Each structure stands twice: as structure tokens, then as C-alpha cells.
């Protein structure tokens, strides 16, 4: 079930009860997410029209050229549209969605893909390039502690404006579609008006909330929607087949996180934080029996995360990320009782 679920149906299915989420075993990654080296992509499109009409979320035809495994170019016809909220309004090139034609992608690095989100630097300055790297890192951290995480792939995008011959080249990254994420975990993506904490799988909820603490992100809600949207804010919700409890929260959109430390980021005034660099555990007491187990997973994942830092980030981004993660891991190892157990939400 994808869209417009009624709250009465939530209550009905919650009353029926369900086991925890299905656990998917290791499966082969599709070609796009099998590697971590950046893909070289050229996207030719009516860029000025897209940017001028961005708030209307137009769909424009484009041509995508990617360098194939043999070094030869592969040309694909795609549709591109704008997406996002704050970044849609404020960024020079906003986040985009690229829609592929299935008959064209077979045998290419995009085999099996249909729709992908593309995250660009908000502005063409070195600080914003660093923000992009650090947001990419946040996705990679979550992927190392759970299978229920969006996969990503770095790209080097060259935009060719078919209306004005303007060319710009920038790092970016692609994000797996939510239906692919759900399918490989034996779950379904759902959109609901609101979710109660008790409807989540408690361990999955704990993994998500500890992760948000580690990266210093408070710009999310696992129970309530942002204005005018379905639940939940900066969160996809996955459900076991045919049930609306045992839900799995999957976070996205981390540009407000402390590990990114964007100059424009600010915590919500109700949280009483001075800056986004301050960590605040916003998890629920409901999941606390799993805290030690989940923290063990984060500690075990640290070597893999360090490899991402050393192999996939620039020195400038690596220095920022290492410093912030060192502080988070110090708390996980020695101060969890006060910083985590002692600050959970709800009874």
C-alpha cells in the first residue's frame, strides 16, 4: 500500500498484530550500487527552463551519457524533474529526480533502475561541496549498521544546457528508490497520516534514533509529518507485507545534521540547542532495551566507516567528519546512560 492510507485502517491492522519486519539475507547489489568510485555522467537538458519553473516541478526530457565499464559512452533518454522543499527554493541547482526507460537501461550500469534521486551541491562553493560529501557520508554510515538503508552512488555530473550551451560540472550523488529499498528487505513502502511509536519495530526504531544521535541530526520525526505531507518528516516508512505495525523507519535528508555543519543549518527553537553541532538523543524509551545491542553494532561498524572516510572523502571533509564522529563514539562507549537512556522520549 503506497498512498493515502486511512487512519482507521492503521488502527485495524495494528489491532490484528504482526511479527517484526522481514529480514532479508545478503543479495547481489545491482550494478549501480556495486561500486563506490564516482560515475562520470553528462546530462543535456533545458536547464534554464527547469530552473526558472522549478517550483512548478516540471518534467523535462533529457539525454544522459554515462561512461560504460569498457570506457565507451552509453546514451540514455531520461526525464528529469525538480524535487525537494527548502533546497528546491534556495539552491542554484536543486535536487532532481531522474526517470529512466526500462528498455534502455538493461546491460548498463543503470540496469534494474527506474527512478533515482540526485543530490547536488546547493551552491558552487567549496563549503557546499564539503556539505555534499558529508551528507553522502551520513547515508553510508547508516548503510553500515542496517540493511534498511538507502544505497547511494557518487557521480561527477556535467550539465549541458540545451537552451544556452552553458556547461557546469559538479560532484553529486544518486539515491536508491524507496521501492527498491523496500523490496530487497521483504517490505513495502507506505505513506500514513501519522504513526505511533508502538507501531514501529522497536529494534529498527532504536537503530534509526541512535544513528541520528551519532550524526547530530534533529531534523526528523518518526511519528508526525511535515506540513502538507504524509508521515513522516525526512523519513520513509516500510511495513511488513499486509501489516501496518512492525514498521521500519528509514531516514533521509541530512543537510541539517551536526556532522555536516552547514552554515545555514539551525536546530528547531523548541529543542533548546545552541547549534546543530550539539547532539540530542530524540529516541523513544520504548526501544531502550535494544540500546546496548544497537550501540554494539555501531561500534563494530566503525572500521568500515573509517574506510569510507579515507577512501571516499576529500581531506577537508574527512577532517570534519572524523572530529565529529570521534565525539559521538566517545559518548557511545562511555556516557550512554546519561546521554541516551536518560533522555529518551515518552514512557
Amino acid at each position: 500500500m503506497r498512498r493515502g492510507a486511512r487512519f482507521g485502517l492503521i488502527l485495524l491492522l495494528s489491532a490484528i498484530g504482526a511479527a517484526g519486519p522481514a529480514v532479508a539475507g545478503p543479495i547481489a547489489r545491482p550494478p549501480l550500487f556495486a561500486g563506490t568510485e564516482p560515475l562520470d555522467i553528462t546530462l543535456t537538458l533545458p536547464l534554464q527552463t527547469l530552473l526558472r519553473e522549478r517550483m512548478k516541478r516540471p518534467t523535462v526530457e533529457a539525454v544522459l551519457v554515462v561512461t560504460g565499464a569498457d570506457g565507451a559512452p552509453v546514451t540514455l533518454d531520461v526525464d528529469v524533474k525538480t524535487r525537494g522543499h527548502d533546497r528546491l527554493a534556495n539552491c542554484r541547482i536543486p535536487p532532481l529526480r531522474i526517470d529512466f526507460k526500462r528498455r534502455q537501461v538493461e546491460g548498463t550500469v543503470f540496469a534494474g533502475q527506474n527512478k533515482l534521486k540526485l543530490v547536488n551541491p546547493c551552491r558552487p562553493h567549496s563549503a557546499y561541496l564539503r556539505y555534499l560529501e558529508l551528507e553522502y557520508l551520513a547515508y553510508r554510515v547508516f548503510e553500515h549498521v542496517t540493511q534498511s538503508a538507502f544505497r547511494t552512488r557518487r557521480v561527477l555530473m556535467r550539465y549541458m544546457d540545451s537552451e544556452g550551451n552553458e556547461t557546469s560540472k559538479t560532484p553529486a550523488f544518486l539515491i536508491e528508490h524507496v521501492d527498491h529499498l523496500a523490496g530487497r528487505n521483504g517490505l513495502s513502502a507506505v505513506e500514513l497520516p501519522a504513526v505511533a511509536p508502538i507501531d514501529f519495530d522497536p529494534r529498527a526504531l532504536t537503530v534509526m534514533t541512535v544513528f541520528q544521535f551519532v550524526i547530530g541530526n534533529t531534523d526528523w520525526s518518526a511519528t508526525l509529518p511535515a506540513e502538507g505531507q504524509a508521515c513522516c518528516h525526512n523519513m520513509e516508512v516500510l511495513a511488513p507485507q499486509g501489516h501496518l505495525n512492525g514498521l521500519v523507519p528509514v531516514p533521509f535528508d541530512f543537510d541539517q545534521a551536526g556532522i555536516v555543519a552547514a552554515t545555514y543549518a539551525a536546530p528547531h527553537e523548541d529543542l533548546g540547542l545552541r547549534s546543530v553541532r550539539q547532539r540530542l538523543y530524540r529516541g523513544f524509551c520504548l526501544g531502550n532495551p535494544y540500546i546496548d545491542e544497537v550501540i554494539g553494532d555501531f561500534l563494530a561498524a566503525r572500521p568500515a566507516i573509517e574506510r569510507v572516510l579515507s577512501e571516499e572523502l576529500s581531506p577537508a571533509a574527512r577532517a570534519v567528519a572524523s572530529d565529529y564522529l570521534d565525539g559521538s563514539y566517545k559518548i557511545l562507549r562511555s556516557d550512554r546512560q546519561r546521554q541516551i537512556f536518560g533522555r529518551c522520549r515518552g514512557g
Side-chain angles (χ1 to χ4, degrees):
M1 178 187 299
R2 278 290 294 164
R3 307 291 179 194
R6 296 180 179 177
F7 193 66
L9 182 59
I10 301 173
L11 296 177
L12 173 62
L13 290 177
S14 295
I16 293 173
V23 178
I27 57 176
R29 287 175 178 254
L32 179 60
F33 302 112
T36 59
E37 67 281 1
L39 292 175
D40 199 328
I41 293 177
T42 298
L43 192 64
T44 303
L45 73 169
L47 187 61
Q48 295 307 311
T49 295
L50 186 72
L51 298 181
R52 185 173 58 251
E53 300 180 2
R54 65 175 66 198
M55 301 308 293
K56 298 178 182 179
R57 303 176 189 271
T59 298
V60 300
E61 294 181 348
V63 175
L64 184 151
V65 179
V66 61
T67 302
D70 59 358
V74 176
T75 301
L76 303 171
D77 299 316
V78 298
D79 291 328
V80 177
K81 69 182 301 181
T82 56
R83 63 178 188 86
H85 298 282
D86 291 343
R87 283 189 270 194
L88 174 61
N90 298 314
C91 292
R92 180 180 180 275
I93 298 181
L96 303 175
R97 193 185 79 184
I98 302 176
D99 294 359
F100 295 86
K101 294 175 172 55
R102 290 188 183 276
R103 67 180 182 275
Q104 290 188 354
V105 299
E106 296 310 314
T108 76
V109 70
F110 293 108
Q113 305 302 320
N114 183 20
K115 296 177 172 62
L116 293 169
K117 291 180 178 180
L118 178 70
V119 182
N120 302 285
C122 187
R123 300 191 181 280
H125 304 303
S126 59
Y128 287 89
L129 297 179
R130 186 175 70 251
Y131 301 158
L132 179 92
E133 287 188 87
L134 293 167
E135 184 172 9
Y136 165 77
L137 171 66
Y139 282 94
R140 297 284 281 131
V141 169
F142 197 57
E143 187 179 347
H144 279 295
V145 293
T146 177
Q147 293 185 69
S148 300
F150 284 107
R151 291 170 174 169
T152 54
R153 180 69 181 268
R154 292 181 297 159
V155 298
L156 185 60
M157 291 293 302
R158 179 182 291 105
Y159 290 99
M160 298 286 291
D161 187 358
S162 59
E163 298 174 320
N165 297 320
E166 178 182 337
T167 301
S168 62
K169 192 172 185 178
T170 181
F173 65 89
L174 294 163
I175 304 176
E176 177 182 31
H177 193 276
V178 65
D179 288 339
H180 285 227
L181 162 63
R184 63 182 169 81
N185 283 280
L187 304 169
S188 298
V190 296
E191 286 198 357
L192 307 170
V195 181
I198 198 170
D199 288 328
F200 284 105
D201 175 80
R203 194 184 190 286
L205 185 62
T206 304
V207 172
M208 185 276 295
T209 55
V210 172
F211 162 74
Q212 301 280 25
F213 177 81
V214 167
I215 67 167
N217 190 36
T218 58
D219 185 29
W220 61 272
S221 173
T223 58
L224 297 173
E227 184 176 353
Q229 303 173 50
C231 193
C232 298
H233 178 49
N234 288 339
M235 198 79 55
E236 293 285 358
V237 179
L238 310 183
Q241 302 289 344
H243 300 282
L244 288 178
N245 60 357
L247 304 177
V248 176
V250 184
F252 61 89
D253 200 353
F254 308 119
D255 69 314
Q256 294 282 330
I259 197 170
V260 176
T263 54
Y264 59 80
H268 194 282
E269 59 185 13
D270 291 346
L271 299 178
L273 302 177
R274 295 185 302 275
S275 79
V276 294
R277 295 281 290 177
Q278 284 185 270
R279 299 168 186 82
L280 174 66
Y281 183 67
R282 301 187 65 233
F284 301 94
C285 300
L286 179 71
N288 265 348
Y290 291 94
I291 286 263
D292 282 340
E293 180 182 328
V294 168
I295 287 175
D297 291 344
F298 276 85
L299 296 176
R302 184 71 191 270
I305 294 169
E306 289 297 323
R307 284 194 294 274
V308 175
L309 291 174
S310 63
E311 297 172 4
E312 301 179 36
L313 267 61
S314 67
R318 188 185 312 143
V320 173
S322 293
D323 176 69
Y324 197 83
L325 287 176
D326 283 346
S328 297
Y329 271 86
K330 180 179 179 181
I331 294 171
L332 294 188
R333 287 191 299 267
S334 63
D335 200 21
R336 66 187 70 170
Q337 185 69 34
R338 181 173 65 87
Q339 292 268 25
I340 298 179
F341 279 105
R343 304 189 74 171
C344 58
R345 298 160 59 197

